[in-house]
Amino acid sequence: MRGLGRSARRIARFGAILALTISGLLGDVHHVEAVSPAFVAIGEFPRTDGRTIVWETRGGMDIGYGDIFAARLDDLKPFPIATGPAAQGAAAIDGDIVVWWEDWDILGKNLVTGEEFLISETANGADNPAISGNWVVWRALGAETKIMARDIRARTEPITVVARPSLPGVSPRIPPRPSLTRPIIDGDRVVWGEDTGGRNRLLLWRIGREEIVTVAEGIIGSYDLNGDFLVYEALHYRPPSVDTTIHVVDLTTGETQAIATNAHAPTTDGRHVFWFENRLSSVGSDETHLVGYDLTVGGRMPFSIDSSRAGLSASDPPHARDGILVWAHGLSIQALATDGLGEGQAWRVFPETGYTVSLAWLDFWEHNGGLPVFGYPLSEVVLDPNDLQMQYFERQRIEHHDAHRGTPYEFLLGRLGFDDAHARGLLWTEPFAALPPDTGSDAHCEFFPQTGHRLCHGFKDYWHSHGLEFGDAGISFREALALFGYPISEEFTDPETGLTVQYFERARFEYHPHNPEPHTVLLGRLGADLLARE
């Protein structure tokens, strides 16, 4: 939990560069913001320590050669770290020390003094250095794959943390493959992965100790370590697809929890977790969102960054440290201050589904029926093809109409009753056929000539006793109409559930005779059904 008190100073260093990014989150907004990060430079594989960003650039078409640059967060002006014809990459930073591999050696540079120094020289090569404080860890290659560590301040000799035989190449002419994956260090903890023949395990070693412990097992993709938390991506092969889950391990308690699915490339700054999440847009195209989870609150953060899937890669994951998040979208290095995201806002995390309801959306939800009318949230705020902001709930879809801001019609509900009946092929069945226009009303039933259907008995009582809050005395007709819409069917027995139901423009009433009052009439889970069909 380091550095949480330095949020104000860090944001001030960004100054005007991130003003647009943060103002939308701390100002008078009415929905979950899709924030715009700051552009840093052209490059890839960015890493940060919360004060400085380092990244790589590639020269021409030769992916084996490139340069390493850095920029301080107070001005975002790039300056070179390592340039020239050598093969170099995988830069990491902590404090004023940058480390990287160059021609398969591990090098370091002091940004204050400008001194460049050798950390490790190996015959068979080394890569993936990481640094925390005085310690640097890296992977040594060859017939054996080794995780190495060195105290660069004391200038002691490198130590071998673990060595494993490398895996055979796919053919006799192909060199052996590394059996250990990149190490990550934070404080005195070092984590790396080991390939055990189709499955993986994540191992933890603490500097100064002999014991190496297993902290996760399975088919593991990307991972990160910071503070007391390890985050990793677990892959589940279910032909013809691959499902992914983001897990968080509390290293002090050993407790593990899954916080996201259909997600990859997680990172953590010790308080937040961020990852890329694949989603299907409302028009059927693939999207990738950069989203976050607040470990102190226990729920998703109310922000989202939309990006083209083509511009994001699991092999180039985001990186979060000390209140700063960096990532590469295509070849564009992006940066965002994370301290303050969601703070000071009237938002609520729903642990039952993992989604948040924010600001005016939450006020609308609470003052117009809450859980019985809307159910739990099933999505974050999304945009339809016409840029209409929507959020899905178990029983409804709430829509924000900005043109009606400040009026009772700022928030409206989707016509999910009609949509569900249409999707199920019910609109052409007998219960949906309009009654004669001269059908009358009586003490038990009310006839709606607008749609040619009646509203009777308990369903009639329920319709008139619920409505959106427009400020009218009691529940007015227009308030009930805004919540449910007109009836579009008569009562009938649902062929799938056997319940007595009636469809309205925005709802499906269900009669549950065995429930205690006032729960004999319930609303169907139209939002959940719609999302399941999609």
Side-chain angles (χ1 to χ4, degrees):
M1 301 295 180
R2 298 172 301 168
L4 297 182
R6 297 202 294 270
S7 172
R9 295 199 301 273
R10 185 176 304 107
I11 291 173
R13 289 199 300 268
F14 271 77
I17 296 172
L18 283 185
L20 291 177
T21 300
I22 306 171
S23 63
L25 292 165
L26 302 183
D28 182 22
V29 296
H30 293 268
H31 56 86
V32 175
E33 284 287 345
V35 298
S36 299
F39 169 77
V40 179
I42 299 298
E44 54 190 332
F45 304 109
R47 295 294 181 266
T48 185
D49 65 348
R51 294 193 307 161
T52 306
I53 304 172
V54 294
W55 66 90
E56 302 174 32
T57 63
R58 297 297 181 187
M61 297 299 294
D62 191 340
I63 63 173
Y65 294 83
D67 299 322
I68 296 174
F69 287 84
R72 298 290 193 184
L73 289 171
D74 54 4
D75 59 15
L76 295 184
K77 295 180 178 179
F79 57 90
I81 298 295
T83 62
Q88 51 211 357
I93 185 167
D94 189 41
D96 293 313
I97 305 297
V98 180
V99 296
W100 70 95
W101 64 258
E102 182 172 308
D103 284 339
W104 304 111
D105 295 331
I106 305 299
L107 300 180
K109 185 173 185 177
N110 187 313
L111 298 184
V112 175
T113 66
E115 175 195 6
E116 186 174 305
F117 53 92
L118 178 68
I119 297 174
S120 172
E121 184 176 23
T122 57
N124 296 306
D127 63 6
N128 289 300
I131 181 171
S132 181
N134 301 332
W135 283 87
V136 177
V137 295
W138 66 93
R139 183 175 67 171
L141 306 173
E144 287 187 316
T145 308
K146 301 177 182 179
I147 300 299
M148 308 294 295
R150 187 179 187 184
D151 185 338
I152 59 173
R153 181 178 295 275
R155 301 293 177 113
T156 57
E157 289 298 311
I159 61 175
T160 299
V161 179
V162 65
R164 295 286 185 268
S166 296
L167 302 173
V170 294
S171 74
R173 296 183 178 181
I174 303 298
R177 295 178 290 119
S179 55
L180 305 176
T181 58
R182 66 184 182 94
I184 299 175
I185 183 171
D186 187 68
D188 67 344
R189 292 186 175 110
V190 181
V191 168
W192 67 92
E194 180 175 0
D195 190 331
T196 58
R199 293 179 65 82
N200 311 78
R201 57 179 179 173
L202 291 179
L203 301 171
L204 171 68
W205 172 68
R206 304 194 74 157
I207 294 172
R209 304 184 187 183
E210 295 185 0
E211 183 183 19
I212 296 175
V213 298
T214 299
V215 289
E217 293 184 280
I219 305 175
I220 297 172
S222 182
Y223 51 91
D224 194 20
L225 165 72
N226 196 265
D228 292 328
F229 295 99
L230 168 72
V231 296
Y232 67 92
E233 168 192 357
L235 288 72
H236 313 281
Y237 289 95
R238 298 183 176 92
S241 64
V242 178
D243 297 332
T244 57
T245 306
I246 302 299
H247 293 265
V248 178
V249 182
D250 186 330
L251 297 175
T252 60
T253 65
E255 179 183 359
T256 299
Q257 62 172 322
I259 61 172
T261 58
N262 198 27
H264 56 275
T267 184
T268 179
D269 61 6
R271 170 177 173 174
H272 311 104
V273 183
F274 300 94
W275 62 87
F276 297 147
E277 185 168 283
N278 299 333
R279 300 178 184 175
L280 190 65
S281 73
S282 57
V283 295
S285 62
D286 290 329
E287 296 178 345
T288 298
H289 291 240
L290 179 57
V291 297
Y293 185 95
D294 191 330
L295 292 168
T296 61
V297 175
R300 287 179 178 243
M301 300 168 65
F303 90 103
S304 176
I305 297 175
D306 307 338
S307 299
S308 164
R309 176 176 291 188
L312 300 173
S313 171
S315 64
D316 191 358
H319 192 245
R321 289 295 183 271
D322 207 11
I324 298 298
L325 174 67
V326 295
W327 70 98
H329 180 207
L331 294 178
S332 173
I333 304 297
Q334 310 283 323
L336 179 69
T338 62
D339 289 358
L341 281 179
E343 293 180 1
Q345 298 186 63
W347 58 279
R348 173 181 170 186
V349 176
F350 286 81
E352 295 82 359
T353 59
Y355 292 101
T356 58
V357 182
S358 179
L359 296 173
W361 300 78
L362 181 65
D363 183 71
F364 179 87
W365 186 89
E366 291 177 336
H367 288 86
N368 290 283
L371 191 63
V373 170
F374 301 112
Y376 293 114
L378 297 180
S379 79
E380 304 295 342
V381 173
V382 297
L383 297 178
D384 78 352
N386 297 315
D387 290 335
L388 177 66
Q389 299 162 358
M390 308 180 301
Q391 186 165 16
Y392 283 87
F393 295 78
E394 290 179 287
R395 298 181 174 91
Q396 250 304 338
R397 182 183 67 222
I398 299 177
E399 303 172 353
H400 181 256
H401 295 259
D402 194 65
H404 301 298
R405 184 185 295 272
T407 75
Y409 303 100
E410 180 176 346
F411 287 94
L412 297 175
L413 303 179
R415 298 180 74 244
L416 297 195
F418 178 88
D419 292 344
D420 185 76
H422 182 274
R424 295 180 61 191
L426 298 174
L427 292 177
W428 300 274
T429 61
E430 182 178 354
F432 288 79
L435 299 177
D438 59 352
T439 301
S441 300
D442 57 33
H444 303 291
C445 295
E446 180 178 356
F447 179 67
F448 289 81
Q450 295 87 348
T451 56
H453 291 287
R454 296 172 300 174
L455 181 56
C456 301
H457 305 295
F459 285 170
K460 174 187 174 184
D461 295 338
Y462 190 92
W463 193 93
H464 281 287
S465 62
H466 295 77
L468 298 186
E469 180 55 63
F470 289 171
D472 299 345
I475 303 296
S476 68
F477 179 88
R478 68 167 185 158
E479 290 174 330
L481 184 65
L483 179 58
F484 301 125
Y486 291 110
I488 59 173
S489 80
E490 297 295 298
E491 294 182 11
F492 67 99
T493 301
D494 191 310
E496 292 185 1
T497 65
L499 296 172
T500 298
V501 301
Q502 185 170 9
Y503 273 83
F504 298 78
E505 292 177 284
R506 300 181 177 91
R508 182 182 67 224
F509 287 12
E510 300 175 351
Y511 178 53
H512 295 260
H514 302 297
N515 286 357
E517 292 291 350
H519 306 296
T520 55
V521 177
L522 298 178
L523 299 179
R525 299 178 74 249
L526 299 182
D529 293 344
L530 177 61
L531 290 178
R533 280 194 292 268
E534 292 182 349

